[in-house]
Amino acid sequence: FNIDSFDSVDQIVTGCASCTKMLRDYPTILTDPAYSEKAKQFSKKVVHISELAAKDRYFKVAPLPGKKTKVTYHSSCHLRAAGVSREPRELLRNNPNIEYVEMEYADRCAGGAGTFCIKNPEQSEAIFERKRRAIEASGAEIVATSCPACMMQLKNGLKGKVEVKHIAELLQ
């Protein structure tokens, strides 16, 4: 259905790391000869908004009001698995109103992992604790990420001590 529905478009832009990963994985899932070639073509159309913004100079990182804001980036597991890691950081580094700081363990899971945090709350909390310490040690006022599920985990775990924003919220 998705392949047929998006056949006429040139690009499919997502704001969700998990969707980016899944849509790019269609060729490995849809192996039926009737759709295997279409699945390959479909997956090439899928782009995360941070990739689009980093290559298309139409987008800019939105200036934040006031002084330079210290921002760090949590790299979601699904977006890294989809091959996207450099672009969100590049967007943040290129904003003259942001002091970008790479936190320790930026590329490690925050412990949400879909329903993992619901099925294994103690383990999830222990995993998040490492992330929380890294965020606090960075001194960041904002943690940006590219994954709505990670945003929920970060917001729940940080309890308002550090603001959490999707990378798209920092674009204009």
Side-chain angles (χ1 to χ4, degrees), residues 50-51 54 61 71-76 79-80 83-95 98-108 131 144-146 167:
S50 63
E51 292 176 294
V61 178
V71 178
T72 192
Y73 180 73
H74 164 69
S75 183
S76 79
L79 200 60
R80 280 193 327 278
V84 183
S85 183
R86 176 188 49 81
E87 294 85 351
R89 289 170 167 91
E90 182 181 306
L91 290 168
L92 296 170
R93 283 187 188 107
N94 288 338
N95 185 328
I98 286 178
E99 177 188 342
Y100 176 73
V101 58
E102 180 82 10
M103 77 169 110
E104 187 175 21
Y105 307 121
D107 290 342
R108 302 224 19 215
K131 183 64 73 173
T145 190
S146 302
I167 190 77

Side-chain angles (χ1 to χ4, degrees), residues 32-82:
D32 179 327
Y35 274 92
S36 62
E37 189 53 43
K38 285 182 175 185
K40 289 176 190 172
Q41 296 311 310
F42 176 92
S43 70
K44 291 176 185 175
K45 296 179 182 183
V46 177
V47 61
H48 188 270
I49 192 163
S50 63
E51 292 176 294
L52 179 66
K55 78 174 184 178
D56 184 345
R57 295 304 168 200
Y58 172 79
F59 290 99
K60 297 179 187 120
V61 178
L64 298 169
K67 64 176 180 54
K68 264 191 168 188
T69 304
K70 193 179 259 192
V71 178
T72 192
Y73 180 73
H74 164 69
S75 183
S76 79
C77 300
H78 283 150
L79 200 60
R80 280 193 327 278

Side-chain angles (χ1 to χ4, degrees), residues 1-40:
F1 176 82
N2 284 347
I3 290 172
D4 292 337
S5 296
F6 288 97
D7 191 45
S8 64
V9 301
D10 295 327
Q11 206 163 42
I12 301 163
V13 181
T14 72
C16 173
S18 299
C19 291
T20 303
K21 175 70 174 128
M22 177 54 77
L23 295 173
R24 285 185 177 172
D25 277 352
Y26 272 18
T28 63
I29 299 165
L30 303 170
T31 57
D32 179 327
Y35 274 92
S36 62
E37 189 53 43
K38 285 182 175 185
K40 289 176 190 172

Side-chain angles (χ1 to χ4, degrees), residues 110-111 116-129 153:
F116 177 82
C117 59
I118 296 165
K119 294 177 181 177
N120 305 283
E122 293 84 18
Q123 269 185 297
S124 174
E125 196 173 307
I127 293 167
F128 183 78
E129 181 57 24
Q153 179 75 352

